Amino acid sequence: MSLYTTNYIYTPLNQLKGGTIVNVYGVVKFFKPPYLSKGTDYCSVVTIVDQTNVKLTCLLFSGNYEALPIIYKNGDIVRFHRLKIQVYKKETQGITSSGFASLTFEGTLGAPIIPRTSSKYFNFTTEDHKMVETLRVWASTHMSPSWTLLKLCDVQPMQYFDLTCQLLGKAEVDGASFLLKVWDGTRTPFPSWRVLIQDLVLEGDLSHIHRLQNLTIDILVYDNHVHVARSLKVGSFLRIYSLHTKLQSMNSENQTMLSLEFHLHGGTSYGRGIRVLPETNSDVDQLKKDLESANLTANQHSDVICQSEPDDSFPSVILLRPPCWRSVGRSQLTAASAS
């Protein structure tokens, strides 16, 4: 990492004017991980806010995925240099201009102030350090923590949430969907649905996956997320944004059959996407601790008995409590439509 010194002026978000090129700081309120636009560029949408309580939505484009802001969650702090301000439909917005550059910092109070950037040369002074610290303090009292970031033990049916996890295996399902097998060291409150595939097409350590079967979940990703899923390395740490849960049920012999499904639908609405997290990320550090302390021998649910059926990768599961749910079993694989 190289640094050089230049004096930059930063414009508060309530003083932006159309037609100008500015440098700004802000706290991330919403973002979409970089995705391929309809052209050849990658695009990222980032909404930031500062102490003036003014929001600014930025549409950022680059031919290089890594050149866009490296944002992992809402609450991160960004610094944008050479951001062009324009007014579109009476709304002020920021767009990339020639020479656009960004730095991203973790927004947590007390965390090390380490800039995230793909650039080898950037300016970062003691004044910048103070700016990040000031925004962290302000955000800690003016912005609520991200309620969308959940562990598997806390998820419920018909919910959208962000998940931090480790990738254990992956497989092609068809041209429009891809399977990711992941875990975070905790168990879902309902038996997890399984995608029926042949072991030969599953990339990953099959013995390790079998050992962790009570802690793994199957996620189907669709459409534009498939090319990202294909590129992921088994063992990497991921954040999956706007993951959708559904409780699939069917009746058989007067018994209710239930399982929890996980889908990452197509498109980028609500920030849907996948991002690889570096091992230096503080959330990955906590995830590693959760994985190391996970109980690998317990059943998926404290009141669940699993019995494997012959030639069937879906377990038949009997729930002993609550009494209104007498049994839980396999669900049919249903391809969720991209939304």
Side-chain angles (χ1 to χ4, degrees), residues 28-35 44-47 72-74 146-149 159-163 224-225 239-244 263-274 337-339:
V28 176
K29 193 173 182 66
F30 171 81
F31 72 102
K32 292 184 180 183
Y35 59 91
S44 182
V45 179
V46 184
T47 298
Y72 298 136
K73 63 182 178 183
N74 292 337
S146 177
W147 57 268
T148 57
L149 191 57
Q159 187 173 39
Y160 290 88
F161 69 102
D162 300 340
L163 176 67
N224 57 300
H225 307 297
R239 178 152 295 141
I240 304 176
Y241 301 96
S242 199
L243 192 58
H244 184 205
H263 300 274
L264 181 66
H265 301 299
T268 62
S269 297
Y270 308 104
R272 282 194 292 266
I274 305 172
S337 59
S339 57

Side-chain angles (χ1 to χ4, degrees), residues 166-169 181-183 203-205 208-209 212 216 234:
Q166 185 181 34
L167 180 64
L168 294 174
K181 281 186 175 288
V182 306
W183 73 314
E203 181 183 338
D205 185 337
H208 187 50
I209 291 171
L212 300 176
T216 64
V234 171

